[in-house]
């Protein structure tokens, strides 16, 4: 990040103008003093001839006018400088050579929740950060700008939090010995950028891990089949396992593609009037055999005529993921599954309710995140990619709706989809 060229210039202007302002005040006093002496007749003053007093008087008057103009200029520049500093997204700090705060903008005060400008206090007293102190020291020592990324503790509400700052520290106007007259420090908050980077890294690591497992299983079986004499029964068993893992790979790649399209809003929605009840029935038909095998009791509560403007294919896919999870994690014969739809305000609210094991409270805030699993082995054994609920979430978001979960461990889970009856395009 570079410091705007005009900022040090403005600060120098302000300092110079400050001295001029002081001088002007002195001259005004002097001028008034001389005029007072003339009025009282203590000083000889004749209009018709140049006297020392008259010349001095005129000079003083001219100086006073000039300095009044400079004073106005100062006020204008001071106003502009304050306006610029307070509208900057970066935090700005000016220190003297003793590292005492001379100026701080509102943004920096807000970043560190400083109730008032800590003028006159040292940088160490205010920020309590050795690295920041060192960066500023280096600026003075080397005379060249320093750039450093710092993690600093700030208060966010009542809680302390760590934020990342790109700190730039530059020396201001050289003094006679060639050193700095003061230091300008700019704080650029890059916490969000670092958080996104961490998410991206974690995502790449997760994808690599998810791909590596089935791929290494596949290549292991292939090597055995190629190198060893394997009887036909074992060969068939190997091939079946390979097929299962190839299917998992395929599902993973498909889910990843879909999720990336949904997230980047590249997937156009084909909105039409969708009958909610028939949509429920169509998805349930795809689970017929599992429902029979697990003796799941399914209840559908949805008015026959209830419709929503939505992409039927996407809504079915979201429902498919939720029902698949309910059956997969329900974990007991005699599971009860309820699909309920009703209108609340301008929204269609769909609830997918099961009486399975539920989701631990600590996991609930994370289950819509990519690759987040509560029951890792059960998810993988059941062919889960860890992306099902993320797809549900982004499908609903793409329709302008929202998702939520309500679950008590041991008592089952309710997934709630809220879709606008008519999405605003
Ligand atoms: P997965 O492919 O693992 O099923 P999901 O994103 O669909 O991925 O689900 C994330 C995790 O949420 C699952 O691994 C599971 O631990 C938990 N989960 C989802 N639905 C249910 C449910 N109905 N009951 C209990 N746990 C569930």
């Amino acid at each position: 990040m570079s410091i705007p060229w005009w900022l040090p210039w403005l600060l120098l202007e302000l300092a110079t103008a400050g001295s001029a302002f002081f001088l002007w005040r002195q001259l005004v006093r002097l001028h008034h003093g001389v005029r007072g002496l003339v009025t009282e007749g203590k000083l000889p003053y004749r209009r018709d001839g140049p006297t020392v007093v008259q010349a001095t008087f005129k000079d003083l008057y001219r100086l006073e006018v000039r300095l009044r103009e400079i004073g106005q200029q100062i006020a204008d520049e001071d106003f502009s400088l304050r306006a610029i500093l307070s509208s900057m997204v970066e935090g700005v700090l000016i220190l003297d050579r003793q590292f005492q705060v001379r100026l701080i903008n509102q943004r920096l005060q807000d970043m560190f929740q400083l109730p008032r400008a800590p003028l006159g206090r040292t940088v160490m007293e205010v920020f309590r950060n050795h690295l920041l102190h060192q960066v500023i020291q280096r600026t003075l020592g080397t005379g060249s700008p320093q750039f450093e990324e710092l993690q600093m503790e700030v208060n966010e509400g009542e809680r302390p939090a760590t934020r990342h700052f790109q700190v730039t520290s530059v020396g201001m106007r050289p003094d006679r010995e060639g050193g700095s007259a003061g230091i300008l420090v700019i704080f650029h908050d890059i916490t969000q950028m670092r958080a996104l980077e961490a998410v991206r890294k974690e995502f790449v690591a997760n994808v690599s891990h998810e791909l590596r497992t089935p791929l290494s299983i596949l290549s292991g079986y292939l090597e055995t089949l190629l190198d060893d004499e394997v009887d036909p029964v074992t060969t068939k068993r190997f091939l079946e396992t390979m097929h299962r893992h190839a299917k998992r790979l395929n599902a993973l790649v498909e889910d990843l593609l879909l999720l990336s399209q949904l997230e980047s809003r590249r997937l156009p929605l084909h909105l039409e009037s969708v009958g909610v009840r028939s949509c429920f029935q169509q998805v349930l038909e795809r689970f017929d055999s599992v429902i029979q095998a697990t003796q799941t009791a399914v209840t559908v509560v949805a008015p026959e005529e209830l419709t929503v403007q939505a992409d039927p294919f996407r809504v079915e896919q979201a429902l498919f993921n939720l029902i698949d999870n309910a059956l997969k994690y329900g974990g007991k014969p005699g599971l009860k599954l309820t699909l309920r739809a009703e209108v609340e305000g301008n929204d269609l609210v769909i609830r997918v309710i099961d009486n399975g094991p539920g989701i631990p409270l600590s996991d609930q805030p994370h289950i819509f995140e990519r690759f987040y699993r509560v029951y890792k082995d059960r998810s993988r054994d059941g062919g889960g990619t860890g992306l099902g609920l993320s797809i549900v979430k982004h499908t609903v978001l793409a329709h302008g709706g929202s998702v939520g979960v309500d679950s008590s461990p041991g008592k089952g889970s309710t997934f709630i989809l809220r879709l606008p009856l008519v999405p605003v395009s």
Side-chain angles (χ1 to χ4, degrees):
M1 184 210 62
S2 63
I3 294 172
W5 61 269
W6 42 261
L7 189 57
W9 176 79
L10 263 183
L11 295 168
L12 288 183
E13 280 293 306
L14 185 66
T16 317
S19 321
F21 183 71
F22 177 74
L23 198 59
W24 173 65
R25 291 292 304 269
Q26 300 301 316
L27 273 168
V28 168
R29 265 195 217 138
L30 191 57
H31 183 211
H32 285 189
V34 172
R35 205 165 47 190
L37 288 173
V38 170
T39 320
E40 288 166 24
K42 289 183 183 154
L43 264 178
Y45 177 76
R46 289 195 345 259
R47 276 187 186 280
D48 53 348
T51 65
V52 176
V53 175
Q54 189 178 10
T56 313
F57 199 72
K58 274 185 184 156
D59 283 349
L60 278 173
Y61 180 72
R62 259 186 245 119
L63 270 170
E64 189 187 321
V65 171
R66 178 72 194 112
L67 283 167
R68 204 198 309 264
E69 285 166 13
I70 293 174
Q72 187 54 49
Q73 217 176 322
I74 297 164
D76 292 349
E77 277 167 7
D78 186 34
F79 175 77
S80 318
L81 176 67
R82 277 177 205 288
I84 291 164
L85 285 179
S86 60
S87 57
M88 281 177 74
V89 284
E90 284 92 1
V92 178
L93 181 69
I94 293 175
L95 306 169
D96 60 19
R97 289 181 67 92
Q98 280 69 47
F99 295 2
Q100 282 172 339
V101 176
R102 289 280 162 233
L103 188 146
I104 182 167
N105 73 343
Q106 190 57 44
R107 174 82 180 117
L108 191 59
Q109 273 178 247
D110 294 345
M111 280 175 180
F112 288 87
Q113 289 203 350
L114 302 172
R116 64 189 74 85
L119 301 178
R121 290 173 65 201
T122 65
V123 75
M124 197 60 190
E125 282 167 357
V126 179
F127 298 97
R128 305 195 174 283
N129 189 298
H130 285 280
L131 286 172
L132 177 65
H133 185 88
Q134 283 169 12
V135 172
I136 295 163
Q137 235 169 5
R138 275 209 309 275
T139 315
L140 275 185
T142 61
S144 52
Q146 301 292 313
F147 309 93
E148 193 79 51
E149 185 175 330
L150 299 181
Q151 284 185 36
M152 298 177 80
E153 291 290 315
V154 299
N155 285 329
E156 277 179 6
E158 298 295 292
R159 293 226 220 102
T162 305
R163 296 197 77 83
H164 296 254
F165 292 98
Q166 176 67 52
V167 172
T168 306
S169 160
V170 266
M172 291 167 59
R173 194 172 60 157
D175 62 15
R176 275 196 211 104
E177 286 85 44
S180 300
I183 303 119
L184 169 70
V185 191
I186 311 270
F187 293 73
H188 186 58
D189 191 338
I190 52 167
T191 312
Q192 209 179 5
M193 202 173 87
R194 287 285 169 262
L196 286 174
E197 215 171 284
V199 170
R200 187 185 57 80
K201 280 187 190 155
E202 196 190 325
F203 177 69
V204 172
N206 275 328
V207 172
S208 318
H209 177 78
E210 295 292 331
L211 290 174
R212 204 175 48 207
T213 315
L215 275 175
S216 60
I217 292 172
L218 281 175
S219 67
Y221 278 115
L222 270 175
E223 270 167 32
T224 317
L225 287 173
L226 285 171
D227 296 347
D228 304 333
E229 284 287 306
V230 186
D231 64 81
V233 178
T234 316
T235 304
K236 186 160 187 294
R237 195 163 46 81
F238 279 10
L239 288 174
E240 277 167 1
T241 313
M242 286 168 68
H243 186 217
R244 210 174 58 246
H245 286 285
K247 274 200 330 206
R248 223 188 109 188
L249 264 181
N250 200 32
L252 180 66
V253 173
E254 298 229 322
D255 277 2
L256 275 173
L257 274 175
L258 175 61
L259 193 57
S260 99
Q261 285 173 329
L262 280 168
E263 277 184 335
S264 59
R265 302 281 164 112
R266 271 185 287 122
L267 201 68
L269 294 180
H270 302 290
L271 298 184
E272 55 185 79
S273 177
V274 181
V276 181
R277 199 181 165 90
S278 66
C279 180
F280 282 174
Q281 302 294 1
Q282 273 166 24
V283 183
L284 283 169
E285 271 170 28
R286 290 157 69 186
F287 289 100
D288 251 358
S289 55
V290 191
I291 289 171
Q292 303 266 330
T294 52
Q295 296 169 356
T296 301
V298 180
T299 312
V300 173
V301 186
E304 191 72 59
E305 69 288 357
L306 183 55
T307 59
V308 61
Q309 279 290 316
D311 184 326
F313 183 69
R314 299 287 153 221
V315 173
E316 277 178 27
Q317 189 166 40
L319 283 173
F320 180 94
N321 288 358
L322 292 177
I323 297 170
D324 186 39
N325 279 350
L327 296 170
K328 204 160 58 182
Y329 303 110
K332 56 180 178 190
L335 180 79
K336 287 190 184 134
L337 172 67
T338 305
L339 304 184
R340 183 185 286 275
E342 57 211 323
V343 173
E344 285 180 19
N346 294 326
D347 296 334
L348 164 74
V349 181
I350 296 176
R351 289 185 173 81
V352 179
I353 309 161
D354 68 61
N355 65 339
I359 299 163
L361 285 180
S362 56
D363 293 299
Q364 287 180 24
H366 306 290
I367 53 168
F368 292 98
E369 289 168 16
R370 294 174 293 195
F371 296 115
Y372 193 89
R373 294 165 161 120
V374 185
Y375 315 104
K376 291 188 179 50
D377 293 340
R378 218 187 301 169
S379 160
R380 290 207 175 93
D381 292 350
T385 59
L387 298 173
L389 288 181
S390 292
I391 290 174
V392 173
K393 176 177 134 184
H394 286 284
T395 302
V396 175
L397 288 182
H399 281 83
S402 60
V403 284
V405 66
D406 181 8
S407 176
S408 314
K411 291 191 183 146
S413 314
T414 301
F415 284 87
I416 307 147
L417 312 189
R418 197 171 277 275
L419 292 168
L421 287 169
V422 181
V424 244
S425 49

